[in-house]
Amino acid sequence: MSTVNEIPLLNPQLLAQLERLELMSRKIFRGRMKGERRSKRKGQSVEFADFRNYVPGDDLRFIDWNLYARMDRLFLKLFLEEEDLHVYVLIDASTSMTFGEPTKLQYAKQLAAALGYIGLTRADRVKIESLGTSHRNPGPILRGKASVWRMVEHLNSIQPGENISLAEGIKNFCIRNQSKGILILITDLMDKSGYEKALKLLVAQQMDFYLLHVLSPEEINPEIKGDLRLVDAEDSDIAEVTVSRPLLDRYKRTLAAFVDGAKDYCTRRGMSYLMTSTETPVDKLVGTYLRKRGLVR
């Protein structure tokens, strides 16, 4: 199979690491088909399986308070029962995502491919879309490892330039997808109208939501100076600035405040937030950072 991108979304080394992982839901969803995964849903023939560390947003009913009394740490009880899971990955394909090397969009696609592969390996139902996807052209619903290359082809077909607002894109997604499950939004959050209205729409969906905030190293720690003419990638607004050390320091403080605000907004609503740089290897992001967040194990 040929791809349109020079960098493969999945390589043998990455696949070997992903084979051992499993996507986990912090909430309880009832699937329509029996899958190959183990869920935490209580029901018949449920047996205790294991503990894991509590993360913000977990269902408090499953905290082991006796263990907390002994160790002064919060642990969640996990139960086993065969069940399938909906896994949605929603990618921001706006023009601002074309920044960096690799671009934020390419990084988002590779991350989506990795998470999708884990789901397909465990027979979960996987659906990957972009914010600009319309009800006339929904993303395919994939299931099983035989669907991996179809997933890759679909990801490679996503092109930049879908400059719709986060709120509009998420609203359209919610209308198209009513099933409960895990939703992973991969975006740079660069929307002049803000992210609050968009994320508020997801609260009512009662999904297990993860926001992966992707930025390039140049955005996190810019090394520019002098007189510049800046052009907004999405609406072509122009600003002429003189970049000085005080201006860069103010930019970094503003970015830090923005990241902290987004993280706090998500945490207070039971949503998981993680900011990452495109220079963080996808295998490390998935196998280390997202494991700590409780998305994979």
Side-chain angles (χ1 to χ4, degrees):
M1 184 199 72
S2 61
T3 64
V4 298
N5 295 307
E6 295 181 0
I7 303 175
L9 297 181
L10 296 169
N11 58 59
Q13 294 77 18
L14 179 59
L15 291 176
Q17 296 184 51
L18 299 176
E19 287 278 355
R20 302 188 295 269
L21 300 177
E22 177 182 8
L23 296 174
M24 299 295 296
S25 172
R26 300 169 302 171
K27 299 184 179 181
I28 302 174
F29 305 112
R30 184 181 296 274
R32 297 175 182 170
M33 300 172 59
K34 291 294 182 182
E36 297 178 357
R37 73 190 323 277
R38 297 287 190 173
S39 83
K40 304 192 304 258
R41 179 169 62 85
K42 284 189 173 181
Q44 294 181 343
S45 302
V46 174
E47 59 179 294
F48 171 75
D50 200 357
F51 294 100
R52 71 164 170 80
N53 290 326
Y54 169 84
V55 295
D58 281 339
D59 193 326
L60 298 179
R61 292 176 298 170
F62 295 99
I63 290 177
D64 190 308
W65 296 108
N66 292 327
L67 196 58
Y68 171 74
R70 295 200 306 268
M71 303 185 65
D72 197 30
R73 290 178 60 190
L74 293 176
F75 290 92
L76 222 65
K77 291 182 288 187
L78 303 180
F79 299 88
L80 296 183
E81 184 179 354
E82 297 292 341
E83 187 181 80
D84 67 331
L85 183 70
H86 284 86
V87 180
Y88 300 98
V89 184
L90 189 56
I91 297 174
D92 182 352
S94 59
T95 307
S96 66
M97 291 287 287
T98 62
F99 187 74
E101 184 58 44
T103 67
K104 291 178 285 185
L105 180 56
Q106 177 66 21
Y107 187 83
K109 288 182 179 183
Q110 188 177 17
L111 182 54
L115 295 170
Y117 181 82
I118 296 173
L120 294 176
T121 298
R122 300 292 180 174
D124 297 327
R125 282 192 297 275
V126 175
K127 191 173 186 182
I128 298 176
E129 297 186 350
S130 64
L131 280 173
T133 298
S134 69
H135 68 278
R136 299 184 182 88
N137 185 33
I141 299 175
L142 306 170
R143 188 182 178 92
K145 290 183 71 173
S147 301
V148 168
W149 299 117
R150 187 181 174 201
M151 175 189 70
V152 172
E153 288 178 344
H154 175 67
L155 280 165
N156 282 329
S157 72
I158 297 176
Q159 299 298 316
E162 299 177 350
N163 296 328
I164 67 172
S165 68
L166 280 172
E168 181 181 355
I170 288 178
K171 179 181 179 181
N172 291 337
F173 169 84
C174 293
I175 292 173
R176 292 192 310 274
N177 302 285
Q178 298 294 323
S179 298
K180 303 296 184 288
I182 297 173
L183 171 59
I184 304 150
L185 172 62
I186 310 175
T187 175
D188 60 6
L189 284 182
M190 292 189 180
D191 189 327
K192 289 184 176 179
S193 59
Y195 56 78
E196 293 87 352
K197 180 180 178 181
L199 299 187
K200 188 176 181 180
L201 292 171
L202 295 172
V203 176
Q205 296 299 108
Q206 298 181 343
M207 287 187 173
D208 197 356
F209 177 71
Y210 289 81
L211 172 58
L212 303 185
H213 187 187
V214 177
L215 296 174
S216 70
E218 297 86 351
E219 291 169 329
I220 298 172
N221 188 30
E223 296 181 358
I224 55 177
K225 59 182 179 180
D227 297 329
L228 298 175
R229 188 170 186 264
L230 305 179
V231 181
D232 190 297
E234 298 189 6
D235 61 15
S236 299
D237 275 1
I238 297 173
E240 295 184 356
V241 299
T242 298
V243 180
S244 60
R245 176 52 55 188
L247 182 62
L248 285 177
D249 290 341
R250 188 171 68 179
Y251 167 83
K252 291 178 182 179
R253 290 194 299 271
T254 301
L255 177 62
F258 181 78
V259 168
D260 288 344
K263 180 179 180 180
D264 180 67
Y265 186 92
C266 290
T267 300
R268 285 188 286 109
R269 290 162 178 80
M271 302 172 169
S272 287
Y273 169 92
L274 177 65
M275 192 275 281
T276 184
S277 166
T278 55
E279 65 181 359
T280 301
V282 167
D283 59 344
K284 183 176 182 180
L285 179 68
V286 173
T288 301
Y289 299 116
L290 291 182
R291 177 174 284 176
K292 291 179 180 178
R293 292 297 193 280
L295 176 57
V296 300
R297 73 166 183 178

